[in-house]
Amino acid sequence: MARKNQHYQKLAAGYLFPEIGRRTRLFQEQHPEAEILRLGIGNTTEPLTPSVIEGLHDGVSRLASLETYTGYGDEQGDLPLREKLAAFYAGRGVNLDADEFFVSDGAKPDSANIQSIFSRDCIAAFQDPAYPVYVDTNVIAGRSGEFQKDTGRYEGFVYLPCSRENNFFPNLPEQKVDLIYLCSPNNPTGAVAAREQLASYVEYARRNRSVLIFDASYAEYISDPALPKSIFEIEGAKECAIEINSFSKFAGFTGVRLGWTIVPKDLVIEDSEPGEINHMWFRRQTTFFNGASNIAQRGGLAVLSDAGLQECRELIQYYMNNASIIREGLLSKGLEVYGGSNAPYLWLKTPGNMTSWEFFDKLLEEAWVIGTPGVGFGPAGEGYFRLSAFGHREVVETAVGRIQSRLKI
Ligand code: MLT
């Protein structure tokens, strides 16, 4: 007799974005005249750049002739792309081998799956608030106890609160934890970790033989040269960190699907030899995954070409200009705003101590604008709200204008 994975029953609510979609549809049904503007999910809107389109076309053309046709590639990604990624990191002073890179169909699946190579009794720690995938997948894997309604936390997990008081970067865990998820530039708070802050976590992880799972999906939004774009810019990180990254926000590949994960061979945990965790991830990917689309990988190569990088920098600047427009607009309205520089997310304190969902409803009803309730990212996000800079300029300007003119605070 088949039985369910009971851990699914523990999940606190629906996944955040479908829940926002449900509420939005309901509002639209009740107000068909409302032209709703979306600054909620961090979904790219602008067309891919010319070199990248050319690379993707090249990927398609190759499939049309016998000489260049390819079927399955290497599960861990085609070697030219992994070598190009290694060269990209070398350009910022980080030396990694091509076989430390694992190309995938995006950072979300890798963020979800990486926990599967670690023992179920590992203690997992999360920034609070955090991208919901980290917590939910550890719940599904059975690493938590029950969800506690009064605290908004799962039993057995360690929460690392990120608040105004610590500039949205968590203090070190007070106890020994095994897996630590960090994201910088941060989704959702838009905070970017400084070198010393990451160094303190690397030191903690090496001392405790824990693993930092570092999500760098928004790294290309950093323009301040003092801020690290990769955890491997920190000395000693190769012994204790895994980095997950993506072409989604870097190059507009949210629909194309392409990302990568770096598992250094130097990484060691309590019961592993050097190279073993790298091999386990290789084993996991070769068993569960047949490799990213060959067309998408040609696109990835084009992103990393000189012209592609230049064009993607311009694309990123477009979104960062949106971020400035949102930031200025909210500040002029007297709202308390964080993030939005070196990161494409704005994190605002809800006015008048409203809850995150109260503010969601208010913004939708008064300005017809969708954002993301902070509490959806964890209990420390209560009373905060996230706006994404990934909209089309006209939409962003209209939304900010409506917030300024219609929102009653
Ligand atoms: C977000 O809005 O947090 C992200 O776009 C979701 C994602 O990248 O999966």
Side-chain angles (χ1 to χ4, degrees):
M1 194 163 58
R3 280 176 292 122
K4 294 177 288 192
N5 173 351
Q6 291 294 335
H7 302 304
Y8 273 84
Q9 314 292 109
K10 294 182 195 158
L11 290 171
Y15 187 67
L16 176 62
F17 296 108
E19 175 60 16
I20 291 171
R22 194 188 64 77
R23 289 186 183 223
T24 308
R25 279 190 298 279
L26 191 67
F27 180 81
Q28 189 79 81
E29 275 163 32
Q30 290 162 352
H31 303 86
E33 74 290 359
E35 285 164 23
I36 297 174
L37 301 176
R38 291 176 167 76
L39 301 183
I41 189 162
N43 198 2
T44 48
T45 51
E46 301 312 295
L48 299 182
T49 71
S51 307
V52 177
I53 287 292
E54 208 177 295
L56 290 166
H57 278 158
D58 175 46
V60 173
S61 300
R62 283 167 175 268
L63 298 178
S65 86
L66 193 59
E67 290 71 38
T68 49
Y69 173 83
T70 51
Y72 296 127
D74 292 341
E75 291 91 339
Q76 72 275 32
D78 295 338
L79 187 60
L81 180 55
R82 287 185 288 120
E83 284 176 345
K84 197 86 183 161
L85 282 166
F88 177 65
Y89 275 75
R92 59 175 60 141
V94 173
N95 292 313
L96 293 156
D97 291 341
D99 56 4
E100 295 178 297
F101 287 84
F102 296 84
V103 173
S104 71
D105 55 349
K108 183 173 181 174
D110 286 358
S111 304
N113 296 326
I114 195 74
Q115 50 75 27
S116 69
I117 59 172
F118 297 103
S119 167
R120 212 182 71 175
D121 58 12
C122 282
I123 297 172
F126 309 92
Q127 281 176 288
D128 176 17
Y131 183 42
V133 175
Y134 316 143
V135 168
D136 286 4
T137 53
N138 276 279
V139 171
I140 292 168
R143 253 178 221 108
S144 75
E146 295 299 325
F147 182 70
Q148 302 296 302
K149 264 210 156 96
D150 52 334
T151 60
R153 294 177 169 199
Y154 289 92
E155 278 173 349
F157 284 168
V158 172
Y159 290 76
L160 306 170
C162 299
S163 60
R164 287 182 287 195
E165 288 65 40
N166 57 17
N167 290 320
F168 302 100
F169 187 80
N171 301 339
L172 287 171
E174 282 162 13
Q175 64 278 67
K176 188 177 175 322
V177 299
D178 304 312
L179 304 176
I180 307 170
Y181 288 76
L182 293 178
C183 175
S184 175
N186 191 263
N187 178 11
T189 65
V192 187
R195 206 166 283 279
E196 316 75 68
Q197 291 175 316
L198 292 183
S200 70
Y201 267 81
V202 166
E203 193 279 322
Y204 172 96
R206 288 172 77 190
R207 185 158 36 85
N208 290 289
R209 281 277 177 261
S210 358
V211 177
L212 304 178
I213 298 169
F214 187 76
D215 183 348
S217 296
Y218 300 93
E220 296 312 305
Y221 286 75
I222 295 177
S223 56
D224 181 344
L227 297 169
K229 291 185 173 172
S230 167
I231 188 74
F232 300 119
E233 289 177 46
I234 309 299
E235 207 188 319
K238 282 193 204 168
E239 289 169 30
C240 64
I242 289 173
E243 180 162 303
I244 295 172
N245 212 321
S246 171
F247 286 98
S248 285
K249 313 293 160 56
F250 180 173
F253 273 33
T254 46
V256 178
R257 308 306 307 143
L258 196 68
W260 69 91
T261 282
I262 300 165
V263 185
K265 285 181 266 184
D266 287 349
L267 176 67
V268 277
I269 58 173
E270 196 175 306
D271 54 358
S272 82
E273 301 291 323
E276 204 178 331
I277 301 299
N278 171 284
H279 186 74
M280 281 177 74
W281 186 242
F282 176 81
R283 185 71 173 82
R284 193 269 168 209
Q285 291 301 78
T286 52
T287 303
F288 283 69
F289 186 56
N290 250 342
S293 147
N294 44 15
I295 301 169
Q297 293 192 65
R298 298 304 300 183
L301 272 176
V303 171
L304 297 171
S305 68
D306 290 345
L309 287 172
Q310 180 53 35
E311 291 166 4
C312 289
R313 271 195 283 275
E314 286 164 23
L315 184 61
I316 287 168
Q317 192 53 50
Y318 176 92
Y319 291 125
M320 287 309 296
N321 289 346
N322 283 348
S324 301
I325 292 168
I326 302 172
R327 195 180 154 80
E328 295 311 314
L330 298 177
L331 286 172
S332 74
K333 183 81 184 165
L335 289 159
E336 191 180 322
V337 189
Y338 302 91
S341 29
N342 299 294
Y345 291 121
L346 290 294
W347 188 241
L348 60 116
K349 183 79 198 77
T350 58
N353 280 327
M354 301 179 87
T355 68
S356 300
W357 280 110
E358 280 167 359
F359 188 71
F360 175 89
D361 291 335
K362 182 178 171 68
L363 194 64
L364 182 55
E365 278 159 25
E366 293 176 3
W368 299 345
V369 171
I370 301 287
T372 311
V375 71
F377 299 97
E382 182 57 285
Y384 286 90
F385 199 77
R386 192 193 77 175
L387 291 175
S388 151
F390 288 110
H392 191 59
R393 179 66 44 81
E394 240 182 345
V395 170
V396 168
E397 284 174 345
T398 312
V400 171
R402 283 201 206 148
I403 291 172
Q404 285 177 318
S405 61
R406 295 201 209 161
L407 193 70
K408 299 186 197 81
I409 54 169

